[in-house]
Amino acid sequence: MDRLPWSRLHWAILLALGVTWVLDGLEVTLKGAVSSVLQEPESLGFTSSQIGMIASFYIAGAVVGALIFGYLTDRFGRRIFFFVTLGVYLVGAMLTAFSWDLTSFIVFRFITGLGIGGEYAAINSTIDEMMPARVRGQTALAVNGSYWAGAALGSLSTIVLLDTAYFSVDVGWRIGFFVGAALGVIVLFMRRHLPEGPRWLVTHDRLDEAEKVMRGLEDRVSRETGEELSDIDADDRIKIHPQRSFSLAAILKAMFRTHLKRSLLALTLMASQAFLYNAIFFTYALVLSNFFDVPSGQTGLYLLPFAIGNFLGALLLGRLFDTFGRRVMIGGTYTISALILLVTGYMFAQGMLGAITLTILWSVIFFFASAAASSAYLTVSEIFPLETRALAIALFYSIGTATGGILSPWIFGMLIDTGSAWNVFYGYAFAATVMIAAALCEAFIGIDAEQASLESVASPLSSAENA
């Protein structure tokens, strides 16, 4: 896969997988934008704390879904779960449109989270295994960053959906969730032509199928590019002992004994970015409405520049992760976003910012933080053996999100409810501290995986040296 020239095949894979993040960004941004609308008595009448709790249950669902589907993805293959996880996600998103009280909203958001957690494992493992090593970093960041393209669309949609001139307070937000889920059905059809990953097939003793898939991919790329593929360098060949399945004990041993330092790195990166994003993003609209009196129907407009900053950060900085390298760029983006957050939080507490200036500074922070967050997923998906990849993504996403993300929206919701800008600042300061800690961890034990094959970064469990 690493020697294939870039072709329409790679664009097709990126589109079929990355479009899910666009839909997820649209749907989650809509949830963030309608937070203040959900507080209206004419709607569901939630409090800020309840809205934070809803976000926490969504994240909890993602944690559970990642663990379940991550293990199954490594066990039964990537391709089947392209459909299963997306199906669960779409069902949850559709049901959210028909929520009638706090309990129903929590349950449906939990189901939505189950699906999206599974998507993280299946998609990120496939992107790493199907993209050439020379561009693996930038393509992974671009796919994860496409979430923010959906977020921008979501914020724009609120101009109409939350305008009471078009829809009543309790109708517009429901239409948004319903339409977003309905559009996702198209993605299911887009994925039907995606093949199973040859790397996974080989290690799981499906050699004939792997050979057939690989020859089909090579023939397609040759036709599309007109280039004759070079032979595989003898130094790049490895000997493996394929198995039908790998025990959970062997997988966990690889992650927590053989690669213990890498596990610490993965956990630190995932937990810190999870706390930052979930704390700020899910309570974004609440800060605007509670501290700056921004009308509930206009909060989505402030999310637009925030989403654009996130998308551009992952897109424009991605190439540097393959040139300057992982260690420099991951540590740098974590540190820069943390320092700007500290300054922004202090200015907010001092009353030096308005809604517009705060939004501008948030957009700058997350220009860097979006690349940092995406690089956490990239790191987890490339530093562990192939046979453990999906479960590793799921496990560290789950642990990192559980420790850094489940309670953060709830906590920030309560901080906002106090009405004290200084209390909110203390939350921002803690988020900045954990980001700096992650940057230091990357500096000391980070892996220089740029432009290297996955097998050289981490030998497969089935390789001869591990047999």
Side-chain angles (χ1 to χ4, degrees):
M1 296 299 297
D2 289 339
R3 79 191 205 285
L4 296 181
W6 190 265
S7 66
R8 290 197 301 273
L9 167 68
H10 298 98
W11 283 117
I13 294 172
L14 290 180
L15 181 62
L17 299 180
V19 73
T20 299
W21 296 150
V22 175
L23 291 172
D24 183 38
L26 186 153
E27 191 259 354
V28 172
T29 301
L30 183 62
K31 165 59 180 64
V34 304
S35 294
S36 53
V37 172
L38 295 175
Q39 293 180 303
E40 300 288 343
E42 297 86 353
S43 183
L44 296 179
F46 297 152
T47 66
S48 296
S49 297
Q50 288 175 330
I51 290 173
M53 181 173 60
I54 290 169
S56 294
F57 272 96
Y58 169 80
I59 298 165
V63 167
V64 174
L67 287 172
I68 295 173
F69 293 121
Y71 173 74
L72 295 176
T73 297
D74 274 338
R75 177 68 177 81
F76 297 104
R78 298 4 181 172
R79 189 175 186 274
I80 185 174
F81 290 99
F82 292 157
F83 303 96
V84 174
T85 56
L86 181 58
V88 172
Y89 166 69
L90 294 179
V91 168
M94 186 79 71
L95 289 174
T96 301
F98 299 97
S99 302
W100 60 88
D101 61 8
L102 179 62
T103 301
S104 63
F105 208 105
I106 286 175
V107 171
F108 297 151
R109 293 301 291 168
F110 182 84
I111 294 172
T112 307
L114 286 174
I116 201 62
E119 285 278 283
Y120 280 120
I123 290 178
N124 280 289
S125 57
T126 300
I127 289 296
D128 271 14
E129 292 168 12
M130 299 291 282
M131 294 297 113
R134 61 187 179 277
V135 294
R136 187 172 63 243
Q138 57 192 289
T139 53
L141 263 68
V143 168
N144 283 284
S146 65
Y147 172 98
W148 297 103
L153 294 175
S155 64
L156 285 173
S157 71
T158 62
I159 298 175
V160 175
L161 295 174
L162 302 186
D163 190 336
T164 54
Y166 297 101
F167 304 103
S168 66
V169 173
D170 197 41
V171 172
W173 65 268
R174 297 179 186 275
I175 293 175
F177 282 115
F178 183 85
V179 172
L183 290 174
V185 176
I186 300 173
V187 184
L188 289 173
F189 292 96
M190 293 175 61
R191 291 184 175 183
R192 70 187 188 278
H193 296 303
L194 292 178
E196 182 60 83
R199 282 180 161 110
W200 184 89
L201 290 170
V202 167
T203 57
H204 287 77
D205 201 22
R206 293 165 61 175
L207 304 181
D208 291 340
E209 189 175 350
E211 180 69 20
K212 180 179 179 181
V213 170
M214 195 65 236
R215 287 193 179 278
L217 294 176
E218 290 175 337
D219 290 344
R220 177 176 174 178
V221 170
S222 294
R223 290 196 307 271
E224 291 176 355
T225 63
E227 297 183 29
E228 184 174 343
L229 301 180
S230 60
D231 292 331
I232 299 174
D233 194 307
D235 293 335
D236 293 331
R237 302 187 183 197
I238 61 174
K239 183 176 182 180
I240 65 170
H241 300 281
Q243 302 177 44
R244 282 289 177 180
S245 62
F246 296 84
S247 70
L248 184 60
I251 292 174
L252 294 178
K253 177 183 176 182
M255 287 192 285
F256 295 107
R257 182 178 296 179
T258 307
H259 299 294
L260 181 59
K261 286 186 178 180
R262 297 186 180 197
S263 295
L264 175 61
L265 173 67
L267 177 59
T268 304
L269 294 179
M270 293 296 285
S272 57
Q273 66 84 25
F275 187 91
L276 176 70
Y277 261 96
N278 293 310
I280 294 180
F281 183 63
F282 280 107
T283 58
Y284 189 106
L286 298 179
V287 170
L288 294 175
S289 58
N290 283 271
F291 290 95
F292 300 105
D293 297 321
V294 175
S296 59
Q298 296 180 17
T299 55
L301 294 176
Y302 291 84
L303 289 169
L304 179 59
F306 179 84
I308 292 174
N310 276 274
F311 177 65
L312 291 178
L315 188 65
L316 299 179
L317 297 177
R319 184 180 297 273
L320 302 180
F321 284 77
D322 286 323
T323 53
F324 287 163
R326 306 289 197 259
R327 199 186 299 257
V328 171
M329 290 304 301
I330 294 175
T333 52
Y334 270 76
T335 300
I336 292 172
S337 56
L339 294 178
I340 301 176
L341 176 60
L342 276 174
V343 174
T344 301
Y346 179 76
M347 294 174 68
F348 167 72
Q350 289 280 24
M352 300 168 63
L353 302 175
I356 293 177
T357 50
L358 178 61
T359 299
I360 291 173
L361 287 172
W362 267 337
S363 300
V364 174
I365 292 168
F366 284 91
F367 175 85
F368 297 98
S370 65
S374 296
S375 70
Y377 291 99
L378 168 65
T379 298
V380 174
S381 64
E382 68 181 359
I383 65 174
F384 294 102
L386 185 150
E387 299 87 346
T388 73
R389 182 159 294 123
L391 182 59
I393 295 169
L395 189 62
F396 290 109
Y397 167 79
S398 299
I399 297 175
T401 302
T403 56
I406 288 181
L407 292 179
S408 57
W410 202 341
I411 292 172
F412 268 73
M414 290 188 290
L415 292 175
I416 292 168
D417 268 343
T418 67
S420 169
W422 278 104
N423 285 341
V424 178
F425 164 70
Y426 297 142
Y428 291 156
F430 182 78
T433 300
V434 297
M435 290 289 284
I436 292 174
L440 291 173
C441 187
E442 174 66 29
F444 286 105
I445 59 175
I447 308 299
D448 298 316
E450 57 274 6
Q451 301 194 36
S453 70
L454 294 173
E455 290 75 19
S456 66
V457 175
S459 298
L461 298 182
S462 53
S463 66
E465 64 181 86
N466 290 327

